[in-house]
Amino acid sequence: LAAASGIWQGGDARSAVSEGRGGFYACLAFLCLPVLLAAHVALFARHSNDRFLAACLVASALCNQLPASVTALVAALATAAFGLWTRPIPVYGAPRISICIDDSGADAGTSPEAGVPLRAVQRRAFVSVVTLIAVLLCENFMVWVVSATYKESHQEPYPQPLRDNGRIVLQGLMGAAGLGEGDVQGLRDAMNVQWLLVGTAVMGGFVCCDLRLGKASNRSAWCVGTRVVLTLAAARAVRTASFVMTVLPSQIPGCYAMHYPRPPPEGVWEWVRVGLVPASFGGCNDLVISGHSTVTSALACTASTLGGNRGLDLAVWWLLAFDYACEVLQRYHYSTDMFLG
């Protein structure tokens, strides 16, 4: 980032763009490199699963530059095509099986000839989803409990945010590139890393599993999905325990007054009712670990697991690192929250 911005700020190319925007375009070009790398993988990778996952990444990045209505149409058509393409062919009298494979590539306690019955795999998936829902409900309620009992944050003077050395370094790079806060959001909107990962890991990954593409041919979409959901449940449980045990000050002054009733309600049922309202804005204390990073990291791990191409891995984690840097620069989280996630 520093090298790219230095070239634009000091070279002749800066005169080709509007005054003071050289760093922005340099950073945008820097972020296009992982997309170009993914395009190379999509064209020349050896295995079909790597080519398809990389193509999904490139398609997601390109569709993000189109109007929202066009992007929604493309997504709907892709979903419909996948549903029609993967319609099961009924074979009467044949058992339905789904094979769970471990990381070594060997089957998990079974063989392709004697697979785990699909209904058993679906029960595991159902249990994993119920577990994640229970963890998220508990987390949401504890966000309210910590915010309501952290009385120092209810009125001025508000607690001072902690020193974040990670942000200080990123702010130095942002200053060297000549970027403002609006530029950071503009770059983030241009890439939209979260939905790019959804398109790559969820859509691309499930297609690879269902169509038995390349190295993903020995993977079950049910089993991969179950593992992702259980991983998220475990991470969010650790996150809840972390921010409950040690309360760190929020980086947003006056957060409590903007989102919660002041003073906190006295009645038990009122207290419970407020705690059940989805806290989509986060809490009024710092939430260690970042929930955003747990989801995007799990998606990136899914893409890496179902792929395996080093170029694709580099492209995915390159974009993810940029997204985390934006979270830190925009004061949504401390840098340690993103690192732990």
Side-chain angles (χ1 to χ4, degrees):
L1 177 61
S5 61
I7 292 172
W8 277 88
Q9 293 284 359
D12 296 335
R14 185 182 178 191
S15 61
V17 297
S18 58
E19 184 67 24
R21 301 291 291 172
F24 176 84
Y25 290 109
C27 294
L28 188 59
F30 180 80
L31 291 174
C32 287
L33 292 179
V35 179
L36 294 175
L37 179 59
H40 181 271
V41 173
L43 292 173
F44 302 109
R46 178 181 177 184
H47 299 288
S48 57
N49 59 313
D50 293 325
R51 294 197 301 271
F52 189 82
L53 287 169
C56 287
L57 189 152
V58 175
S60 297
L62 293 177
C63 284
N64 192 53
Q65 314 310 316
L66 302 175
S69 57
V70 178
T71 304
L73 177 62
V74 171
L77 292 175
T79 304
F82 171 68
L84 293 172
W85 196 358
T86 57
R87 290 180 64 192
I89 299 174
V91 180
Y92 298 103
R96 301 175 67 196
I97 63 171
S98 180
I99 303 163
C100 290
I101 308 297
D102 63 20
D103 288 332
S104 65
D107 56 286
T110 185
S111 65
E113 292 79 19
V116 179
L118 179 59
R119 189 171 298 278
V121 177
Q122 290 173 335
R123 282 198 297 267
R124 297 177 191 174
F126 176 76
V127 170
S128 68
V129 171
V130 171
T131 302
L132 178 59
I133 291 173
V135 170
L136 290 176
L137 287 173
C138 179
E139 174 192 295
N140 190 83
F141 187 76
M142 296 312 296
V143 165
W144 154 242
V145 170
V146 173
S147 297
T149 56
Y150 187 28
K151 296 184 178 179
E152 293 86 346
S153 67
H154 294 186
Q155 57 189 1
E156 298 182 4
Y158 300 113
Q160 290 296 312
L162 302 178
R163 175 184 173 88
D164 189 346
N165 291 329
R167 178 181 295 110
I168 292 173
V169 171
L170 291 172
Q171 285 176 332
L173 290 173
M174 188 173 72
L179 299 179
E181 292 186 3
D183 295 325
V184 173
Q185 185 60 48
L187 289 170
R188 194 173 190 186
D189 291 340
M191 301 311 297
N192 202 355
V193 175
Q194 301 97 310
W195 286 105
L196 185 146
L197 285 172
V198 170
T200 304
V202 179
M203 191 199 83
F206 283 3
V207 170
C208 286
C209 290
D210 269 18
L211 300 184
R212 307 288 185 186
L213 299 180
K215 291 183 178 180
S217 61
N218 61 352
R219 296 276 180 173
S220 161
W222 283 99
C223 298
V224 172
T226 300
R227 176 172 293 185
V228 171
V229 171
L230 286 176
T231 300
L232 281 175
R236 302 301 282 249
V238 173
R239 158 183 155 103
T240 303
S242 299
F243 70 73
V244 168
M245 287 190 291
T246 302
V247 180
L248 302 180
S250 172
Q251 301 178 80
I252 304 175
C255 170
Y256 184 88
M258 290 187 288
H259 299 296
Y260 288 121
R262 190 175 60 172
E266 298 291 340
V268 174
W269 292 113
E270 279 297 308
W271 183 281
V272 172
R273 185 188 62 80
V274 175
L276 293 179
V277 176
S280 57
F281 53 84
C284 290
N285 59 301
D286 182 63
L287 300 179
V288 184
I289 306 162
S290 163
H292 169 89
S293 64
T294 59
V295 175
T296 50
S297 293
L299 292 176
C301 287
T302 304
S304 296
T305 299
L306 294 175
N309 183 280
R310 292 182 179 180
L312 177 62
D313 289 348
L314 178 60
V316 167
W317 291 95
W318 184 332
L319 291 170
L320 197 65
F322 159 74
D323 189 57
Y324 288 0
C326 290
E327 283 276 310
V328 174
L329 282 170
Q330 295 178 312
R331 297 181 179 272
Y332 293 131
H333 278 284
Y334 292 113
S335 55
T336 188
D337 303 341
M338 307 308 297
F339 171 73
L340 292 172

